[in-house]
Amino acid sequence: MASSSASSSPQLFHCPTCGASLPTPDSASVTCQYCGSNVLVPPEFRPHKPPEQPAAPAPVVFSVPHQPVIMAQPSRRAWGPILAIVIFLVIIGALVPILLAVFGIFAANRVVTSSLQEITTVQATAFSAPTRAPTATPIPTQTPVPPAEIALQFGGQGSGPGQFEDARSIAVDLDGNLYVAEYLSGRMQKFDAAGKFLQLISVEPDRVGNLYIKDIAVDYQGRLYVVRAADILVFNAADGAQIDTIPGKFPGTNYSALAINLANDLYALHDSAASIDLIRLDPSGKTIWRKESFAAQIDKTKPFTYGGLAVNGLGYTYIVNANAAQVYKFDPDGQFVDRFGSQGSEPGQLNSPQGIAIDPKGRIFITDIGRIEVFDAEGNFLTTIPRLKDLAGIRDLAFDTQGNLYFVTINGDVVKLTLNF
C-alpha cells in the first residue's frame, strides 16, 4: 500500500537549508519557497527529456533601409526540396505535350460550343418577342361579298332582235338556251347562254284572236310549253316548231301559270271568275288531279291575286298570293301543307311579290319590287338580293341546271346572276 501511494504521489526531496519538502522540479534547480535557497535538483529527480537537437545556425540578416530581408543559409536538408522540385519539373516537361494535345481537344470543343451558343442566341433573338411593342398596323376593311353578281345583261325596249315590248316570261332549257316571251304580241325569242340571238318563235292567235302569253316553261325532254290563255301550246325547243296543243277542258278555262316537275308533269293554275284551281297534268295533257278553289279554302279574308307558281324536285308546289303577301305550299298530291310570308318591306317580308322560282338546291326565290327574297323549302328566311344597279321591277325568274338565276324586267332587260351564298 505504501509503495503504491508513493508511486502515485509526486516524488519530494528536502531543502538542505531549512529541510522543507520540495516538489519534483521541471528544471535542474528549484527555489525553496520557505527560505529562498536555490537548490540543485539531484539527477534522479530531474525530468527525463529527449536529447536536444543541435540548434540551426542563426540566419544572416542583411540590412536594407526600411525593409530587412532575411536569407537562410543553405543546409543539407534544403537539398531534398530542391531535388523534389527538379523531379517535378522533369515530369511536367514530359506531360506538357500530352496536356497540350488534351487542351487542344477541349479548346476545339469550347470553340464549337461557343459557336453553337452564338447561333442559339441569334436564333433566340430572331424569334423572341420584341422588347418594344410593335406599331399596330390597321387591318384593311374587307368589302362585303354581295349575295349575287351580274354575269350577263342584254335586251332593252324595242322590236328588233334582242329587244322586247312588254316581256313578262322567261325560261331556260338543259343546254342553257334562254327563251323570253312578250305578253301581247305573241313573240318569243331564243338566245344562247351568252345572250346571242338565235331564233324568233311566233305564237299564232287562238280561235278568237287571242295572243296573250301568260307563262312559258321547258321540260327535261326539250319541249317548250307556252300558256296561251285557254290553251297550252307545245313546241320543239330545238327548232321552234309547234308540235302539239293541250286545249282547255274546263268551262271558261283560263290558264295563268305553268311549272314542270322532274317527271315532266305540268302544274297549272286555272283562273276564272268562278274559282281558282290548281291542276296537275301529265306530259300529254291528261288531268292527274285538280284542286278547285284552293285559295278560298286557305284564306277567306284575303282575295287571291296570282303572283307566281313553282315546283321543287320533290314535287311540292309553291303558289304566291300577291294580295296577302304569302306563299302557299302543297304536297305532291295537291294537299295544302303550310304557308309563310308577311306584309312589309323588311328582310324576309313581302310587299308586292310578282315572281317565284326554285333553284337546284331547293331554295325559294321571290321577286318583290326589284329585290329578291330568298327562303328555304320550309319558308325560313335566308337572305335578300337587293335591287341591282338601275334595274327596274323584276317580272319573272328562272334557273338553269348550274344554279344561275335569270330574270326579265319591265324595261326588257334580261339579266343572269351568279349566286355567292
PDB file of all heavy atoms in Angstrom, residues 306-309 320 352-357 365-368 394-397:
ATOM      1  N   TYR A 306    -102.810  36.242-108.226  1.00  0.00           N
ATOM      2  CA  TYR A 306    -101.690  35.393-108.625  1.00  0.00           C
ATOM      3  C   TYR A 306    -100.379  36.175-108.634  1.00  0.00           C
ATOM      4  O   TYR A 306    -100.293  37.288-109.165  1.00  0.00           O
ATOM      5  CB  TYR A 306    -101.949  34.805-110.014  1.00  0.00           C
ATOM      6  CG  TYR A 306    -100.747  34.118-110.603  1.00  0.00           C
ATOM      7  CD1 TYR A 306    -100.285  32.918-110.072  1.00  0.00           C
ATOM      8  CD2 TYR A 306    -100.066  34.688-111.669  1.00  0.00           C
ATOM      9  CE1 TYR A 306     -99.178  32.296-110.614  1.00  0.00           C
ATOM     10  CE2 TYR A 306     -98.959  34.067-112.219  1.00  0.00           C
ATOM     11  CZ  TYR A 306     -98.513  32.870-111.680  1.00  0.00           C
ATOM     12  OH  TYR A 306     -97.410  32.258-112.206  1.00  0.00           O
ATOM     13  N   GLY A 307     -99.338  35.554-108.049  1.00  0.00           N
ATOM     14  CA  GLY A 307     -98.019  36.165-108.040  1.00  0.00           C
ATOM     15  C   GLY A 307     -96.903  35.208-108.405  1.00  0.00           C
ATOM     16  O   GLY A 307     -95.721  35.556-108.297  1.00  0.00           O
ATOM     17  N   GLY A 308     -97.244  33.993-108.851  1.00  0.00           N
ATOM     18  CA  GLY A 308     -96.197  33.063-109.283  1.00  0.00           C
ATOM     19  C   GLY A 308     -96.484  31.646-108.853  1.00  0.00           C
ATOM     20  O   GLY A 308     -97.177  31.384-107.862  1.00  0.00           O
ATOM     21  N   LEU A 309     -95.913  30.678-109.609  1.00  0.00           N
ATOM     22  CA  LEU A 309     -96.080  29.251-109.354  1.00  0.00           C
ATOM     23  C   LEU A 309     -94.752  28.558-109.610  1.00  0.00           C
ATOM     24  O   LEU A 309     -94.071  28.836-110.609  1.00  0.00           O
ATOM     25  CB  LEU A 309     -97.164  28.676-110.281  1.00  0.00           C
ATOM     26  CG  LEU A 309     -97.301  27.151-110.340  1.00  0.00           C
ATOM     27  CD1 LEU A 309     -97.829  26.616-109.011  1.00  0.00           C
ATOM     28  CD2 LEU A 309     -98.228  26.745-111.491  1.00  0.00           C
ATOM     29  N   VAL A 320     -97.730  31.886-104.989  1.00  0.00           N
ATOM     30  CA  VAL A 320     -97.664  33.192-104.340  1.00  0.00           C
ATOM     31  C   VAL A 320     -99.023  33.875-104.439  1.00  0.00           C
ATOM     32  O   VAL A 320     -99.581  34.023-105.538  1.00  0.00           O
ATOM     33  CB  VAL A 320     -96.582  34.081-104.982  1.00  0.00           C
ATOM     34  CG1 VAL A 320     -96.576  35.460-104.331  1.00  0.00           C
ATOM     35  CG2 VAL A 320     -95.216  33.428-104.864  1.00  0.00           C
ATOM     36  N   SER A 352     -94.908  43.384-102.535  1.00  0.00           N
ATOM     37  CA  SER A 352     -95.709  43.154-103.733  1.00  0.00           C
ATOM     38  C   SER A 352     -95.033  42.074-104.574  1.00  0.00           C
ATOM     39  O   SER A 352     -94.426  42.367-105.616  1.00  0.00           O
ATOM     40  CB  SER A 352     -95.854  44.453-104.537  1.00  0.00           C
ATOM     41  OG  SER A 352     -96.646  44.241-105.684  1.00  0.00           O
ATOM     42  N   PRO A 353     -95.093  40.806-104.132  1.00  0.00           N
ATOM     43  CA  PRO A 353     -94.391  39.720-104.839  1.00  0.00           C
ATOM     44  C   PRO A 353     -94.993  39.491-106.222  1.00  0.00           C
ATOM     45  O   PRO A 353     -96.198  39.491-106.403  1.00  0.00           O
ATOM     46  CB  PRO A 353     -94.611  38.514-103.925  1.00  0.00           C
ATOM     47  CG  PRO A 353     -95.846  38.837-103.144  1.00  0.00           C
ATOM     48  CD  PRO A 353     -95.832  40.312-102.945  1.00  0.00           C
ATOM     49  N   GLN A 354     -94.099  39.277-107.218  1.00  0.00           N
ATOM     50  CA  GLN A 354     -94.539  39.159-108.604  1.00  0.00           C
ATOM     51  C   GLN A 354     -93.977  37.940-109.329  1.00  0.00           C
ATOM     52  O   GLN A 354     -94.376  37.681-110.458  1.00  0.00           O
ATOM     53  CB  GLN A 354     -94.145  40.413-109.384  1.00  0.00           C
ATOM     54  CG  GLN A 354     -94.825  41.677-108.922  1.00  0.00           C
ATOM     55  CD  GLN A 354     -96.332  41.623-109.118  1.00  0.00           C
ATOM     56  OE1 GLN A 354     -96.827  41.095-110.115  1.00  0.00           O
ATOM     57  NE2 GLN A 354     -97.076  42.171-108.171  1.00  0.00           N
ATOM     58  N   GLY A 355     -93.057  37.206-108.741  1.00  0.00           N
ATOM     59  CA  GLY A 355     -92.487  36.047-109.428  1.00  0.00           C
ATOM     60  C   GLY A 355     -91.825  35.110-108.438  1.00  0.00           C
ATOM     61  O   GLY A 355     -91.409  35.525-107.345  1.00  0.00           O
ATOM     62  N   ILE A 356     -91.740  33.814-108.815  1.00  0.00           N
ATOM     63  CA  ILE A 356     -91.150  32.828-107.924  1.00  0.00           C
ATOM     64  C   ILE A 356     -90.406  31.788-108.757  1.00  0.00           C
ATOM     65  O   ILE A 356     -90.813  31.453-109.881  1.00  0.00           O
ATOM     66  CB  ILE A 356     -92.233  32.140-107.046  1.00  0.00           C
ATOM     67  CG1 ILE A 356     -91.590  31.154-106.053  1.00  0.00           C
ATOM     68  CG2 ILE A 356     -93.258  31.437-107.905  1.00  0.00           C
ATOM     69  CD1 ILE A 356     -92.592  30.588-105.042  1.00  0.00           C
ATOM     70  N   ALA A 357     -89.266  31.295-108.213  1.00  0.00           N
ATOM     71  CA  ALA A 357     -88.504  30.224-108.847  1.00  0.00           C
ATOM     72  C   ALA A 357     -87.757  29.464-107.759  1.00  0.00           C
ATOM     73  O   ALA A 357     -87.495  29.997-106.670  1.00  0.00           O
ATOM     74  CB  ALA A 357     -87.531  30.777-109.888  1.00  0.00           C
ATOM     75  N   PHE A 365     -86.900  31.581-104.372  1.00  0.00           N
ATOM     76  CA  PHE A 365     -86.574  32.969-104.707  1.00  0.00           C
ATOM     77  C   PHE A 365     -87.871  33.668-105.131  1.00  0.00           C
ATOM     78  O   PHE A 365     -88.548  33.201-106.055  1.00  0.00           O
ATOM     79  CB  PHE A 365     -85.546  33.040-105.828  1.00  0.00           C
ATOM     80  CG  PHE A 365     -84.188  32.512-105.432  1.00  0.00           C
ATOM     81  CD1 PHE A 365     -83.987  31.161-105.181  1.00  0.00           C
ATOM     82  CD2 PHE A 365     -83.097  33.364-105.322  1.00  0.00           C
ATOM     83  CE1 PHE A 365     -82.741  30.678-104.820  1.00  0.00           C
ATOM     84  CE2 PHE A 365     -81.850  32.894-104.972  1.00  0.00           C
ATOM     85  CZ  PHE A 365     -81.670  31.543-104.705  1.00  0.00           C
ATOM     86  N   ILE A 366     -88.171  34.774-104.462  1.00  0.00           N
ATOM     87  CA  ILE A 366     -89.395  35.523-104.749  1.00  0.00           C
ATOM     88  C   ILE A 366     -89.023  36.967-105.041  1.00  0.00           C
ATOM     89  O   ILE A 366     -88.362  37.627-104.226  1.00  0.00           O
ATOM     90  CB  ILE A 366     -90.377  35.456-103.571  1.00  0.00           C
ATOM     91  CG1 ILE A 366     -90.732  33.997-103.259  1.00  0.00           C
ATOM     92  CG2 ILE A 366     -91.643  36.256-103.862  1.00  0.00           C
ATOM     93  CD1 ILE A 366     -91.575  33.823-102.014  1.00  0.00           C
ATOM     94  N   THR A 367     -89.425  37.464-106.197  1.00  0.00           N
ATOM     95  CA  THR A 367     -89.124  38.842-106.551  1.00  0.00           C
ATOM     96  C   THR A 367     -90.147  39.777-105.916  1.00  0.00           C
ATOM     97  O   THR A 367     -91.338  39.465-105.847  1.00  0.00           O
ATOM     98  CB  THR A 367     -89.126  39.031-108.079  1.00  0.00           C
ATOM     99  OG1 THR A 367     -88.931  40.409-108.377  1.00  0.00           O
ATOM    100  CG2 THR A 367     -90.432  38.575-108.688  1.00  0.00           C
ATOM    101  N   ASP A 368     -89.661  40.920-105.438  1.00  0.00           N
ATOM    102  CA  ASP A 368     -90.523  41.854-104.712  1.00  0.00           C
ATOM    103  C   ASP A 368     -90.051  43.290-104.973  1.00  0.00           C
ATOM    104  O   ASP A 368     -89.168  43.800-104.290  1.00  0.00           O
ATOM    105  CB  ASP A 368     -90.481  41.540-103.216  1.00  0.00           C
ATOM    106  CG  ASP A 368     -91.511  42.326-102.423  1.00  0.00           C
ATOM    107  OD1 ASP A 368     -92.519  42.738-103.019  1.00  0.00           O
ATOM    108  OD2 ASP A 368     -91.306  42.522-101.215  1.00  0.00           O
ATOM    109  N   ILE A 394     -88.697  43.364-111.385  1.00  0.00           N
ATOM    110  CA  ILE A 394     -88.498  42.041-111.978  1.00  0.00           C
ATOM    111  C   ILE A 394     -89.870  41.391-112.177  1.00  0.00           C
ATOM    112  O   ILE A 394     -90.709  41.384-111.286  1.00  0.00           O
ATOM    113  CB  ILE A 394     -87.616  41.167-111.065  1.00  0.00           C
ATOM    114  CG1 ILE A 394     -86.264  41.854-110.864  1.00  0.00           C
ATOM    115  CG2 ILE A 394     -87.433  39.785-111.663  1.00  0.00           C
ATOM    116  CD1 ILE A 394     -85.389  41.171-109.836  1.00  0.00           C
ATOM    117  N   ARG A 395     -90.062  40.766-113.352  1.00  0.00           N
ATOM    118  CA  ARG A 395     -91.351  40.169-113.665  1.00  0.00           C
ATOM    119  C   ARG A 395     -91.353  38.646-113.568  1.00  0.00           C
ATOM    120  O   ARG A 395     -92.343  38.067-113.146  1.00  0.00           O
ATOM    121  CB  ARG A 395     -91.799  40.607-115.061  1.00  0.00           C
ATOM    122  CG  ARG A 395     -92.400  42.003-115.059  1.00  0.00           C
ATOM    123  CD  ARG A 395     -92.920  42.379-116.417  1.00  0.00           C
ATOM    124  NE  ARG A 395     -93.846  43.518-116.332  1.00  0.00           N
ATOM    125  CZ  ARG A 395     -94.240  44.228-117.376  1.00  0.00           C
ATOM    126  NH1 ARG A 395     -93.796  43.929-118.583  1.00  0.00           N
ATOM    127  NH2 ARG A 395     -95.081  45.228-117.222  1.00  0.00           N
ATOM    128  N   ASP A 396     -90.288  37.984-113.983  1.00  0.00           N
ATOM    129  CA  ASP A 396     -90.281  36.524-113.971  1.00  0.00           C
ATOM    130  C   ASP A 396     -88.864  36.029-113.712  1.00  0.00           C
ATOM    131  O   ASP A 396     -87.884  36.708-114.062  1.00  0.00           O
ATOM    132  CB  ASP A 396     -90.811  35.969-115.295  1.00  0.00           C
ATOM    133  CG  ASP A 396     -91.172  34.489-115.200  1.00  0.00           C
ATOM    134  OD1 ASP A 396     -91.363  34.005-114.056  1.00  0.00           O
ATOM    135  OD2 ASP A 396     -91.272  33.832-116.252  1.00  0.00           O
ATOM    136  N   LEU A 397     -88.772  34.837-113.103  1.00  0.00           N
ATOM    137  CA  LEU A 397     -87.493  34.246-112.720  1.00  0.00           C
ATOM    138  C   LEU A 397     -87.375  32.840-113.301  1.00  0.00           C
ATOM    139  O   LEU A 397     -88.382  32.153-113.516  1.00  0.00           O
ATOM    140  CB  LEU A 397     -87.380  34.144-111.195  1.00  0.00           C
ATOM    141  CG  LEU A 397     -87.535  35.414-110.363  1.00  0.00           C
ATOM    142  CD1 LEU A 397     -87.679  35.058-108.892  1.00  0.00           C
ATOM    143  CD2 LEU A 397     -86.332  36.316-110.574  1.00  0.00           C
TER     144      LEU A 397
END
